[in-house]
Amino acid sequence: MNITLLLPLSAIVFLLASLLRRRRSLKYIQGPPVLSWLLGHEYELANQAEVGDLEFKWFRDYGTVFRSAGCCGEDILMVSDAEALHHILNTGGYRYPKTKDAVRFIRQISGRGLTWAQGVVHQRHKKALSPAFSESQLRLLLPLFQMYSEKLALRWRERFADNQIIDISHWLPKVTLDVLGSFDFQFGSLDDKASDLRVALQTMFASSQRPSKFTTLLRAWKRALPDSIVEWFEAVYVTEEDIRFKAYVDAAKGAARDLLDKNTSNLSANGEKITQESHDYLKGVEGKKDMLNMLLRSKAAEDPKKRLDDDEVLSQVSTMIFAGFEITACTLTWIIYELSRNLEDQQMLRAEIDAVREKRGDDAGLTSNDYDSMPFLNACIKEGLRLHPGVQFTTRKADLDDVVPLSQPVVSTSGEVMKKIPVMKGQRVHIAIAAYNRSPSVWGPDADQWKPSRYLDSASESKKQQSMIGVFGNVMSFGSGVRACIGWRFAVIEMQAILVCLLTQFEFQLPPGGLDIQTVPLRSMNAPMLRGKLDQGLQMPLVVKRRGRADA
């Protein structure tokens, strides 16, 4: 569609909506100056050179809550305050749902799965899937995580000489993708096997760019219009990115349909007893609750509050594959990078791992209890999640008039000290995950520094406990409240297994001359790239040196 046609239509829509916008004005809250009424700060934030260049400074200047500008004069509430986040995400429950544009985008890239669902539908999805992500169930998957970690180490030994530079950002997504074989998919990424689903997943963002001014306005335009009009427009105006998203969703749902059809014959008449022969590592386990079995149960459930329809079942698979692939690999990349920059921490962590292995004996496989007994391992994972969250922000919308409490008062435009922020129904709220994770009021004056020992300091730990945000380590990287990431334990156990395996067999160092890494906001992910070489995509080249022992 020609921009000359879209812009007048956008102007009409926003002018008609201006009366409602005035009701939701936040002009009494301080915020950065606006250079463009048409684009607000949305285009700037999406196109900043490095994650946090703008919002980190703005939070320092205006406090833990400030007013940002959306397109065409919309006011957006930017929040990194701990008590405000707890109120919105934890206390608020479903009263702050995802915005319409976010819901549409999620449905486009993964279908009608858990991350797409809202309110009572989300409750139904979560109830159906929660048993598959319980701690006891995920511990059964540990042998799978360890097997693929070992395969990654083997591939490095086969293909690279000692003391060679390896781009770990290329290899870690291979292992996190193969780990998703716990859903019964055989990606064969580490074996370079052909897979239509793997190709569709890895290429769905192949040529995605930072949003242009036109795209920024287009998103705002869609946000203001009824779903029926947006759906008509999207059917007419199809981009290459839309085609790639559809290719992934179709491939994921097709593979899921084949698996479910193959296993449905094992479903008994009452829908409660399901057997599964394909998971060798689960054989003999009573009452299997892996994801495939839980989906089969949900599909056959008689209670409508527990039942998922066919498309919802298929969408859960595409959602979990998409959510569990790249972001976990990116987090691991950042953790290993920080350990390469801080060799004393790497040595300390390796000593902790070696001590646990020696205590158990070289031939004994490590258990989840062993991983949990390593305080510095888990401190490094928490610190990696804190400094380098998988996503920079998420957005919510107030579903009712509300008053948001603050742990850190802010000063209004009139000079009044505000301890609460009144918001009107429909107000868009920007949840600043990365900014909260670096908030000095929560983490202290060294919040911008890599310091895993902060989790071993009882005084610091008691300070963080006051905010009670998140599900792991008080960080916001997995979200918080009823919409916190259901797979956070899966990701943590996976990272534990991969890090322990790699650090047992290898040492990591920065290449000669060091690295100039730029944290680039790419497709909602905080991606590591080499400064001056952004056109080459994600990169993290590190010197990988073999240790004496080859077993892990």
Side-chain angles (χ1 to χ4, degrees):
M1 178 177 289
N2 193 304
I3 192 171
T4 59
L5 298 177
L6 180 63
L7 289 180
L9 182 57
S10 298
I12 293 172
V13 170
F14 280 107
L15 285 173
L16 290 174
S18 62
L19 290 176
L20 290 176
R21 288 230 175 103
R22 289 194 186 106
R23 285 189 70 242
R24 297 196 292 269
S25 173
L26 298 174
K27 300 304 181 187
Y28 57 91
I29 299 176
Q30 294 193 68
V34 182
L35 301 179
S36 168
W37 177 85
L38 191 64
L39 295 168
H41 296 123
E42 295 198 64
Y43 176 74
E44 291 178 78
L45 285 168
N47 286 273
Q48 55 189 323
E50 190 150 5
V51 169
D53 276 354
L54 294 176
E55 68 265 35
F56 290 173
K57 178 182 183 302
W58 291 342
F59 277 113
R60 288 194 298 269
D61 291 344
Y62 302 107
T64 56
V65 171
F66 67 88
R67 170 177 47 83
S68 176
C71 293
C72 302
E74 180 188 10
D75 286 338
I76 301 173
L77 186 65
M78 304 281 285
V79 180
S80 69
D81 184 89
E83 189 170 350
L85 291 174
H86 186 271
H87 176 83
I88 293 168
L89 300 175
N90 293 59
T91 307
Y94 292 108
R95 293 181 298 173
Y96 285 83
K98 294 182 178 181
T99 56
K100 288 198 304 182
D101 54 323
V103 172
R104 289 194 196 104
F105 180 69
I106 292 168
R107 181 169 182 172
Q108 184 183 22
I109 62 174
S110 57
R112 294 167 55 241
L114 181 67
T115 55
W116 160 85
Q118 301 265 62
V120 293
V121 178
H122 183 266
Q123 288 179 319
R124 177 164 54 84
H125 284 217
K126 190 173 181 180
K127 184 177 294 185
L129 292 172
S130 289
F133 290 93
S134 67
E135 184 174 1
S136 59
Q137 176 62 32
L138 293 176
R139 285 173 181 262
L140 298 175
L141 301 180
L142 181 58
L144 185 79
F145 299 162
Q146 293 171 327
M147 179 185 74
Y148 283 114
S149 301
E150 291 289 346
K151 181 176 282 190
L152 173 62
L154 178 62
R155 292 293 175 266
W156 282 2
R157 289 177 176 276
E158 290 174 342
R159 302 188 186 188
F160 300 101
D162 194 15
N163 266 341
Q164 188 168 339
I165 292 179
I166 300 176
D167 182 0
I168 65 169
S169 69
H170 170 75
W171 284 91
L172 289 172
K174 289 178 177 287
V175 69
T176 56
L177 185 57
D178 280 353
V179 159
L180 293 173
S182 60
F183 299 152
D184 251 1
F185 294 103
Q186 301 301 317
F187 289 105
S189 187
L190 286 168
D191 295 324
D192 296 322
K193 290 183 179 179
S195 165
D196 292 341
L197 177 54
R198 175 166 62 88
V199 171
L201 177 61
Q202 292 177 328
T203 59
M204 63 186 298
F205 291 105
S207 60
S208 297
Q209 303 293 326
R210 298 188 187 189
S212 64
K213 293 179 180 179
F214 170 76
T215 301
T216 302
L217 283 174
L218 181 62
R219 290 174 179 174
W221 176 74
K222 290 180 179 180
R223 195 161 47 239
L225 289 177
D227 290 343
S228 57
I229 296 178
V230 174
E231 289 171 3
W232 170 84
F233 175 82
E234 290 178 341
V236 174
Y237 184 74
V238 180
T239 66
E240 291 183 7
E241 191 172 58
D242 295 334
I243 294 172
R244 290 196 304 274
F245 291 163
K246 186 177 185 302
Y248 163 67
V249 173
D250 288 348
K253 287 184 177 180
R257 186 179 293 106
D258 291 342
L259 276 175
L260 291 171
D261 288 347
K262 183 177 70 175
N263 286 274
T264 298
S265 59
N266 295 325
L267 184 64
S268 66
N270 63 10
E272 292 300 322
K273 184 178 180 181
I274 304 172
T275 62
Q276 182 184 355
E277 301 302 330
S278 54
H279 282 321
D280 289 341
Y281 54 91
L282 289 178
K283 284 183 178 179
V285 178
E286 294 291 334
K288 301 181 182 70
K289 296 180 180 179
D290 61 285
M291 184 172 173
L292 184 61
N293 277 312
M294 296 314 301
L295 290 177
L296 287 169
R297 284 191 177 98
S298 300
K299 185 179 178 182
E302 295 181 2
D303 185 349
K305 294 182 179 180
K306 297 180 180 179
R307 188 189 310 128
L308 301 179
D309 64 38
D310 287 352
D311 185 64
E312 288 174 329
V313 167
L314 300 177
S315 295
Q316 305 304 340
V317 176
S318 59
T319 296
M320 296 307 164
I321 292 174
F322 176 78
F325 158 53
E326 199 167 38
I327 290 180
T328 302
C330 191
T331 302
L332 282 166
T333 299
W334 281 118
I335 293 173
I336 296 175
Y337 166 69
E338 293 290 358
L339 291 172
S340 300
R341 295 176 64 228
N342 299 272
L343 294 179
E344 289 185 4
D345 285 343
Q346 185 179 159
Q347 292 165 2
M348 180 176 174
L349 176 52
R350 188 174 288 108
E352 180 179 75
I353 295 169
D354 288 347
V356 172
R357 284 192 174 282
E358 183 177 355
K359 183 178 179 180
R360 285 193 59 83
D362 286 344
D363 296 331
L366 296 182
T367 66
S368 291
N369 288 335
D370 292 324
Y371 293 138
D372 292 340
S373 72
M374 301 182 195
F376 199 63
L377 167 66
N378 293 292
C380 288
I381 292 174
K382 292 173 183 176
E383 188 71 344
L385 287 164
R386 185 188 72 83
L387 270 185
H388 306 287
V391 293
Q392 184 180 357
F393 65 88
T394 186
T395 306
R396 296 286 188 268
K397 182 185 71 172
D399 211 20
L400 74 173
D401 294 348
D402 196 14
V403 177
V404 178
L406 303 177
S407 60
Q408 301 291 314
V410 296
V411 179
S412 72
T413 52
S414 64
E416 176 189 359
V417 176
M418 302 182 66
K419 297 181 179 180
K420 297 180 179 180
I421 302 291
V423 298
M424 303 294 289
K425 180 179 180 179
Q427 176 63 55
R428 205 152 51 111
V429 181
H430 185 111
I431 306 297
I433 295 172
Y436 164 81
N437 282 356
R438 293 173 180 244
S439 174
S441 64
V442 177
W443 305 98
D446 57 359
D448 285 328
Q449 300 174 20
W450 165 267
K451 187 182 176 184
S453 60
R454 73 177 75 247
Y455 292 95
L456 309 179
D457 181 349
S458 58
S460 175
E461 194 66 29
S462 63
K463 182 179 181 182
K464 295 195 294 293
Q465 286 297 322
Q466 296 174 11
S467 62
M468 299 295 289
I469 293 291
V471 292
F472 183 68
N474 203 57
V475 299
M476 272 287 297
S477 305
F478 291 119
S480 191
V482 294
R483 296 217 59 132
C485 174
I486 194 173
W488 72 268
R489 288 190 184 90
F490 184 105
V492 169
I493 296 173
E494 179 184 12
M495 287 190 283
Q496 288 174 332
I498 294 172
L499 285 171
V500 166
C501 175
L502 294 182
L503 288 168
T504 298
Q505 302 192 43
F506 304 101
E507 297 176 7
F508 298 90
Q509 297 178 2
L510 299 178
L515 285 176
D516 189 3
I517 295 293
Q518 185 172 341
T519 310
V520 179
L522 180 69
R523 52 186 186 263
S524 299
M525 183 177 66
N526 299 332
M529 297 186 182
L530 294 181
R531 198 175 304 276
K533 298 181 180 180
L534 302 188
D535 59 320
Q536 298 179 18
L538 276 67
Q539 290 190 76
M540 187 62 76
L542 297 176
V543 176
V544 180
K545 180 181 179 181
R546 298 178 185 178
R547 294 189 74 202
R549 56 183 294 174
D551 59 320

